[in-house]
Amino acid sequence: MSRVYADANALRGKPWYDYNKFRIEWSSPDRYEIVRRLGGGRYSEVFEGTDTVNGDRCVIKVLKPVASHKIKRETKVLRNLAGAPNVISLIDVVRDPSRVYHSLITEYVDNTEWNQLYTRLTDADIRRYMFQLLTALDFVHSNGIMHRDVKPGNVMIDHQRQKLRLIDWGLAEFYHPDTEYHVRVGSRHYKSPELLVGYKRYDYSLDLWATGCMYAAMIFRKQHFFRGADNDDQLLKIMKVLGTAKFDAYLAAYGIPFESDIEDLLGSYQPRPWTKFVNSENAHLAHSGAIDLLDRLLRFDPKERLTAKEATMHSYFGTVRVEGGQSKVEAHSDSGFASMD
Ligand code: AMP
């Protein structure tokens, strides 16, 4: 069971988490015009758009015909998180008259692509963005929700305004203690050990693993820190850094059966000290304070990982907390559409 916020949903009651009972009131799509395509994935096509009523830029996420419960889940999560710090805000939900296309209209972020950004981040930038991301996650977790797909592609950063927004809530799920969840979530390089060994009773802490991976990428200036070619190789990459003794202790503590046909996964590896990744290019970022925080995030045992709240209290963020952390981040305005409960 999660060390924190285990009863967040029970306390709020069914109307908060029972998204299948949630009735969405759809607006007409006429108000929004497509400007250009931004990208797309398995579940959606994403466009930059214009709100023709106020001229604001927005993002139009057209959902591919997916199970209605998935649309309800993503919409309910975003509605519950209205006003959350550093979480993308949902402006509207629209459906065409034929009821074929469902789209989420969200706030637009003038994002710098990760492959352009990670080599340019200063020590102060990393502290600020990590603090913003952890603040978002603490809020989200305290509201009983796991994001389940934290990765650079889902963390939009407007570097000029120093504004960070966590996007893509399509895999987010409500956390209930002692519940089994699908382990086929997340993106390979950011998947936590529990996902890779098929342990289904995971909790919010999987988001802290993914955040730790992003943090390692930032401080060591690597595009992705653990870069496995497939799920088994992903676990191997992690074992070669954290060591097999810790892996075995984790499996034993949770009684997780683990068998593999892959000889390398059954091999024995010494832990590699974090300082081994420090070089002349990243030494100014990967200093002892940064490495201490990283070490407390990237643990096999989910209970050993810092929670988002604990991580924000780390001395690494001392200066960010003093300057307010959020000072350059504008407050969310009320999304202003009728309640859909
Ligand atoms: P996704 O399918 O959610 O990964 O989105 C595809 C791409 O659209 C992302 O990689 C981003 O480049 C872009 N995108 C998604 N949401 C936003 C947003 N709110 N603001 C700016 N760009 C976005």
Side-chain angles (χ1 to χ4, degrees):
M1 199 197 286
S2 173
R3 275 204 289 127
V4 290
Y5 308 135
D7 55 358
N9 286 300
L11 285 171
R12 284 166 179 75
K14 269 196 163 189
W16 178 262
Y17 63 78
D18 191 3
Y19 53 83
N20 282 313
K21 294 245 168 63
F22 173 55
R23 201 170 59 80
I24 303 174
E25 282 174 20
W26 299 95
S27 307
S28 150
D30 298 351
R31 174 168 174 172
Y32 307 96
E33 275 173 9
I34 285 176
V35 175
R36 66 182 171 118
R37 187 172 178 275
L38 293 172
R42 209 182 318 165
Y43 303 112
S44 62
E45 288 288 318
V46 182
F47 302 90
E48 180 188 327
T50 308
D51 179 340
T52 58
V53 171
N54 56 23
D56 284 355
R57 275 217 276 200
C58 62
V59 162
I60 305 174
K61 180 175 181 179
V62 185
L63 304 173
K64 294 196 176 154
V66 287
S68 83
H69 88 272
K70 216 174 159 285
I71 296 179
K72 286 188 175 189
R73 188 178 69 187
E74 184 168 2
T75 310
K76 182 65 172 141
V77 163
L78 279 166
R79 287 284 288 139
N80 285 1
L81 294 177
N86 312 323
V87 168
I88 203 75
S89 54
L90 180 66
I91 298 167
D92 209 349
V93 286
V94 303
R95 180 172 67 181
D96 69 310
S98 66
R99 301 183 166 199
V100 176
Y101 298 105
H102 302 79
S103 307
L104 304 179
I105 312 294
T106 66
E107 160 195 20
Y108 178 85
V109 182
D110 201 359
N111 175 52
T112 304
E113 292 289 326
W114 180 248
N115 59 9
Q116 306 283 315
L117 185 70
Y118 78 96
T119 52
R120 302 206 324 238
L121 296 174
T122 66
D123 183 51
D125 291 335
I126 298 174
R127 290 178 209 241
R128 236 180 259 118
Y129 292 142
M130 274 294 288
F131 191 79
Q132 290 189 37
L133 178 57
L134 289 163
T135 303
L137 286 174
D138 178 53
F139 187 94
V140 169
H141 295 166
S142 72
N143 281 285
I145 294 163
M146 317 180 261
H147 182 281
R148 302 201 301 180
D149 199 13
V150 172
K151 59 175 177 179
N154 286 338
V155 176
M156 298 288 105
I157 293 179
D158 179 338
H159 197 38
Q160 194 151 18
R161 295 187 183 81
Q162 304 225 308
K163 177 173 109 172
L164 175 149
R165 294 287 183 269
L166 187 50
I167 67 162
D168 198 352
W169 296 81
L171 282 177
E173 185 53 279
F174 292 87
Y175 171 73
H176 303 281
D178 302 317
T179 303
E180 298 202 329
Y181 292 97
H182 288 296
V183 290
R184 292 185 59 179
V185 295
S187 302
R188 191 194 309 140
H189 302 145
Y190 298 84
K191 276 183 202 265
S192 61
E194 55 271 32
L195 299 178
L196 295 166
V197 300
Y199 183 74
K200 295 180 163 182
R201 288 174 185 247
Y202 58 77
D203 60 64
Y204 312 113
S205 52
L206 92 169
D207 290 335
L208 277 305
W209 176 273
T211 301
C213 294
M214 254 187 94
Y215 183 48
M218 290 187 211
I219 63 171
F220 294 127
R221 289 235 162 130
K222 290 174 74 162
Q223 189 171 5
H224 305 286
F225 186 73
F226 295 120
R227 200 167 196 161
D230 53 46
N231 282 352
D232 288 328
D233 189 44
Q234 185 65 25
L235 188 56
L236 184 63
K237 293 278 186 313
I238 297 168
M239 281 162 61
K240 285 184 170 175
V241 175
L242 299 193
T244 25
K246 293 259 172 60
F247 180 61
D248 293 340
Y250 160 60
L251 295 179
Y254 289 76
I256 300 170
F258 182 74
E259 288 171 9
S260 178
D261 306 331
I262 296 161
E263 209 170 314
D264 285 348
L265 277 178
L266 303 171
S268 168
Y269 307 99
Q270 289 302 312
R272 205 157 170 223
W274 295 114
T275 47
K276 286 269 195 288
F277 298 94
V278 179
N279 57 40
S280 58
E281 310 280 285
N282 64 28
H284 62 297
L285 310 172
H287 43 76
S288 60
I291 284 181
D292 186 76
L293 173 60
L294 180 67
D295 181 60
R296 293 168 195 273
L297 290 170
L298 293 182
R299 299 281 176 104
F300 281 116
D301 185 342
K303 284 199 175 13
E304 281 186 22
R305 284 173 217 153
L306 294 181
T307 64
K309 184 74 175 179
E310 288 165 349
T312 62
M313 304 305 283
H314 193 279
S315 57
Y316 176 76
F317 296 112
T319 50
V320 185
R321 272 196 308 275
V322 171
E323 75 179 45
Q326 306 290 303
S327 58
K328 300 204 174 178
V329 181
E330 303 133 37
H332 278 238
S333 57
D334 191 354
S335 52
F337 57 98
S339 165
M340 293 182 290
D341 286 306

